Amino acid sequence: MSTTSHAHPSPAVEPLSLSQPRGIDQIVAGVSTSDGDGVKLTRVLHQPLQQRLDPYLMLDAFGSDNPGDYIGGFPSHPHRGFETVTYMISGRMRHRDSAGHEGLLSNGGVQWMTAGRGLVHSELPEQEEGLMEGFQLWLNLPAKDKMREPWYRDIQSPEIPEFVTPAGVHVRVIAGASHGVHGAVQREHTEPLYLDITLPPGAEFAQPLLDDRNALVYVFRESLYIGSAEIPTKRMAILANEPGSDGVVLRAPASNHSPARALLIAGKPLHEPIAQYGPFVMNTREQVTQAVHDFQHGKLG
């Protein structure tokens, strides 16, 4: 796992050309909801899409400069059976968990937590005003790893590898690899790819993807084209799974007033049963019942 510090983007990399880029399967608007102590958010990837976007279980987007939308944060709550990846675009959030980990997540940083067999944690804002914006992604664990030892890592913004293409596209590589640049985190079974991509108006970016990977693009600044389809801001495009396809091409309309920005997230599906009850994600109902029992009897940390 890379722990190298990358304070500045690496030199420009040469653009790649793809022979059979993917199209879009569907565009999803997400559902407005609240979680924790009243934190307002948009659930972009929710339970009905879990099998389609396996190994990913959930993607929440939050963003507000109204403290009433976020100030309550996420008080102590349990997790078992998967990983949570919190990416802070703007703002400060304090993490504490029952395994003794504590860290401050701030602008551009990532918190990667493997709940494994279980822990109880809290995520509380360390700001009383200003913008808080970011994402939380849930990544499933294979059945054999669901009861593994919990693990946690704070990745500060300078530790996330970055590069710029000749077209001026800026890419932050949170997980996986892009254009020869390896991300801050690698995972063996799900092989997650997690990129934050900023495209100036008129710019294109190509990312190779194996055709068995499930993938999504979430646009959160301006709009983007994938093929002939335009994805508006605050929309998720689920990429089509096309045999023989070799990646995806993102293009920012020349008419955009400012750079477009999007997350590109892909992974290798586990093809295992998913049994979820709130913050517990296992393979069978019996395992979920056991998780609830363990939590009620103080066995999750």
Side-chain angles (χ1 to χ4, degrees):
M1 204 170 289
S2 166
T3 53
T4 316
S5 177
H6 294 256
H8 303 286
S10 55
V13 297
E14 287 306 307
L16 298 166
S17 61
L18 301 173
S19 60
Q20 192 181 328
R22 294 192 192 196
I24 290 176
D25 200 10
Q26 60 177 300
I27 295 177
V28 177
V31 178
S32 294
T33 183
S34 70
D35 210 336
D37 186 12
V39 177
K40 291 187 178 172
L41 49 83
T42 300
R43 187 141 294 161
V44 186
L45 193 178
H46 45 89
Q47 273 182 276
L49 295 172
Q50 286 176 343
Q51 294 290 353
R52 176 62 185 82
L53 286 168
D54 176 17
Y56 296 103
L57 300 161
M58 191 184 83
L59 176 63
D60 282 349
F62 53 90
S64 177
D65 55 9
N66 173 10
D69 291 345
Y70 62 72
I71 203 71
F74 303 91
S76 290
H77 57 282
H79 288 299
R80 174 180 279 181
F82 61 99
E83 302 190 275
T84 66
V85 185
T86 308
Y87 180 29
M88 214 65 170
I89 301 295
S90 181
R92 293 160 58 86
M93 191 93 84
R94 174 74 61 182
H95 163 96
R96 290 187 178 89
D97 70 39
S98 55
H101 304 123
E102 182 175 337
L104 181 66
L105 194 56
S106 58
N107 298 6
V110 171
Q111 174 208 96
W112 198 293
M113 187 183 83
T114 305
R117 66 169 179 256
L119 43 66
V120 176
H121 80 148
S122 63
E123 298 151 300
L124 299 173
E126 288 215 347
Q127 65 187 65
E128 293 176 6
E129 57 184 22
L131 175 65
M132 180 168 282
E133 180 184 18
F135 304 93
Q136 186 167 93
L137 179 69
W138 287 13
L139 171 60
N140 208 357
L141 285 168
K144 68 178 195 62
D145 289 340
K146 282 188 174 291
M147 296 296 283
R148 58 156 285 180
E149 184 84 13
W151 179 89
Y152 167 84
R153 182 173 163 208
D154 260 327
I155 305 161
Q156 302 302 335
S157 189
E159 296 177 71
I160 297 175
E162 304 179 351
F163 66 88
V164 179
T165 72
V169 178
H170 179 266
V171 182
R172 311 191 79 214
V173 190
I174 295 167
S178 180
H179 295 245
V181 177
H182 288 267
V185 174
Q186 311 296 327
R187 282 291 177 265
E188 183 185 354
H189 297 286
T190 48
E191 298 181 22
L193 174 73
Y194 192 157
L195 307 178
D196 175 3
I197 305 167
T198 303
L199 300 95
E204 267 194 10
F205 177 76
Q207 173 64 35
L209 289 174
L210 295 176
D211 68 359
D212 68 339
R213 300 303 194 258
N214 287 329
L216 66 91
V217 174
Y218 182 75
V219 180
F220 63 103
R221 296 281 189 277
E222 294 282 354
S223 67
L224 279 179
Y225 276 96
I226 295 177
S228 60
E230 186 171 9
I231 308 148
T233 191
K234 294 188 167 51
R235 295 290 186 274
M236 172 176 72
I238 299 177
L239 300 187
N241 290 6
E242 296 161 348
S245 63
D246 56 356
V248 63
V249 177
L250 309 181
R251 179 170 56 85
S255 57
N256 276 356
H257 297 296
S258 58
R261 194 168 174 188
L263 305 179
L264 170 57
I265 296 171
K268 184 178 181 179
L270 291 169
H271 300 300
E272 293 177 354
I274 298 169
Q276 177 177 358
Y277 178 74
F280 308 120
V281 185
M282 305 301 289
N283 299 110
T284 68
R285 248 180 102 174
E286 291 74 21
Q287 291 168 338
V288 169
T289 303
Q290 185 65 49
V292 173
H293 177 273
D294 290 350
F295 173 58
Q296 288 172 342
H297 290 81
K299 294 180 182 174
L300 258 69

